[in-house]
Amino acid sequence: MADEHTTAGGPPVQEPLIETPSSEGRLTRFYDHIRREWQIYLMLLPTIIWFLVFLYKPMYGLQIAFKDYSIFRGVAGSPWVGFEHFETLFSNDQFLRAIGNTIKISALNLIFGFPAPIILALMFNEVLHASYKRTAQTIVYLPHFISSVIIAGIVITAFSPTAGIVNTVMGWFGLDPVYFLTQPQWFRPIFVGTGIWQEAGFGSIVFLAAIAGVNPSLYESAVVDGANRWQMMWKITIPSILPTILIMLIIRIGNVMEVSFELVILLYQPATYETADVVNTWIYRQGLQSGQYDLAAAGGLFNAFVAFVLVMTANTLSRRFSRTSLW
């Protein structure tokens, strides 16, 4: 079929209609594409299988949060209790304290930990001596590749009241030794500082890559205009990598509830639960140590829901005000 219209002083002209491809046509093209690019899909297959087995299949167990779960009855055989476990969660003072600690530690990580790799990348970008730059980068990258167990051991040794370097230096000034890791008020500064030391160097790689993509002609024009390196950093480098900064900030906000479980559980102890116990460690104690799997599942589901809301909100606000977003 075609539409007809008459031109001035001429015969009718037929215009072909644009036909929408059928679902069978789209499916055929999809199969053709797979046949042509099967090597790429073959490489992708292990990742797809990993996601299905380790991320999507475990979602079946989320219903434990709404059941009176028994390991003998299994997930299907356990009776439904609705939102009973969530009511228990929000009437539990320890869980509420864990939420507060998680938010406070994450806020400190955002305030002090998030800018650290950006500042480090900007500093590396200003280093002109190639050998010194490579050596410094290797030194600050190294802690990322060290196991959290070893990192925790280093921290415990460094803050030991008898042989730790921190108390040794304090002794030089006549100060009494302090067992920092048993003092609740010291846990958060030590934890946040350890995280910055361990991850800031490796995190700077993303921002260094973004800086490497800045158009060199911008710097050349700035030099012609008489700008110094400090002005070029503020007027060119930082605005150019701002989209990358915003994307990484959205990801960081989405992980607000995911405070480093391994490092916390290696450094905290009952004496510091007041400021150190976070949602993940509370779930660990309830689920694996106390055997309350249904209550722990409810806590984990709440944790995931809050993270989902945070990342959606951050992404929406970023897209609205800066036109930069994950999707």
Side-chain angles (χ1 to χ4, degrees), residues 97 181-182 184 267-277 285:
R97 181 188 64 188
L181 293 176
T182 62
L267 292 178
Y268 86 153
Q269 49 189 296
T272 57
Y273 279 178
E274 178 185 344
T275 58
D277 192 24
R285 291 202 310 276

Side-chain angles (χ1 to χ4, degrees), residues 23 67 96 124 153 226 241 275 290 296 315:
S23 58
K67 290 190 170 189
L96 296 177
F124 281 140
I241 67 172
T275 58
S290 302
N315 189 75

Side-chain angles (χ1 to χ4, degrees), residues 21-306:
S22 63
S23 58
E24 291 82 1
R26 290 194 297 268
L27 197 59
T28 301
R29 287 199 299 273
F30 175 69
Y31 287 144
D32 291 340
H33 177 71
I34 290 180
R35 280 195 296 269
R36 288 195 307 269
E37 308 291 347
W38 65 270
Q39 298 95 335
I40 296 176
Y41 287 97
L42 186 63
M43 294 175 61
L44 185 63
L45 187 60
T47 302
I48 295 174
I49 294 174
W50 185 88
F51 270 92
L52 292 175
V53 173
F54 293 102
L55 293 181
Y56 285 94
K57 184 177 180 294
M59 287 185 182
Y60 173 77
L62 290 178
Q63 58 186 303
I64 295 175
F66 304 95
K67 290 190 170 189
D68 184 12
Y69 178 70
S70 169
I71 59 174
F72 302 104
R73 295 180 180 179
V75 177
S78 300
W80 291 91
V81 294
F83 291 93
E84 179 181 322
H85 298 310
F86 293 93
E87 295 173 1
T88 303
L89 282 180
F90 294 107
S91 61
N92 187 305
D93 292 337
Q94 292 183 358
F95 180 73
L96 296 177
R97 181 188 64 188
I99 293 176
N101 289 338
T102 303
I103 294 173
K104 290 174 184 177
I105 291 175
S106 294
L108 291 173
N109 276 327
L110 276 176
I111 295 171
F112 298 103
F114 181 72
I118 302 173
I119 296 172
L120 202 57
L122 293 171
M123 292 170 63
F124 281 140
N125 188 55
E126 298 301 319
V127 177
L128 301 180
H129 194 284
S131 298
Y132 176 80
K133 183 176 182 178
R134 287 195 297 268
T135 304
Q137 285 178 310
T138 302
I139 292 172
V140 297
Y141 293 167
L142 186 61
H144 171 81
F145 300 98
I146 300 176
S147 168
S148 294
V149 177
I150 298 176
I151 293 292
I154 294 172
V155 172
I156 292 170
T157 302
F159 288 95
S160 169
T162 55
I165 183 64
V166 175
N167 278 292
T168 300
V169 173
M170 289 173 58
W172 295 344
F173 295 94
L175 300 175
D176 295 330
V178 177
Y179 196 175
F180 291 95
L181 293 176
T182 62
Q183 305 294 326
Q185 67 272 20
W186 284 107
F187 179 84
R188 290 172 189 161
I190 291 173
F191 178 81
V192 173
T194 302
I196 294 173
W197 168 59
Q198 184 179 10
E199 298 296 339
F202 191 78
S204 67
I205 294 176
V206 176
F207 302 104
L208 281 170
I211 292 172
V214 179
N215 191 343
S217 63
L218 296 175
Y219 294 108
E220 295 169 1
S221 300
V223 170
V224 172
D225 291 337
N228 56 36
R229 297 187 67 85
W230 179 260
Q231 291 171 327
M232 286 190 287
M233 182 182 69
W234 278 104
K235 301 296 184 180
I236 298 175
T237 307
I238 294 179
S240 297
I241 67 172
L242 189 58
T244 303
I245 294 174
L246 291 174
I247 293 296
M248 298 305 294
L249 179 61
I250 293 170
I251 296 173
R252 193 67 173 264
I253 291 174
N255 292 327
V256 160
M257 301 300 290
E258 298 296 327
V259 176
S260 178
F261 168 78
E262 297 87 355
L263 196 57
V264 173
I265 208 165
L266 289 167
L267 292 178
Y268 86 153
Q269 49 189 296
T272 57
Y273 279 178
E274 178 185 344
T275 58
D277 192 24
V278 295
V279 173
N280 283 338
T281 54
W282 185 89
I283 291 172
Y284 165 77
R285 291 202 310 276
Q286 295 300 315
L288 295 183
Q289 294 184 348
S290 302
Q292 295 179 298
Y293 303 109
D294 41 19
L295 191 61
L301 183 57
F302 167 78
N303 207 22
F305 176 76
V306 172

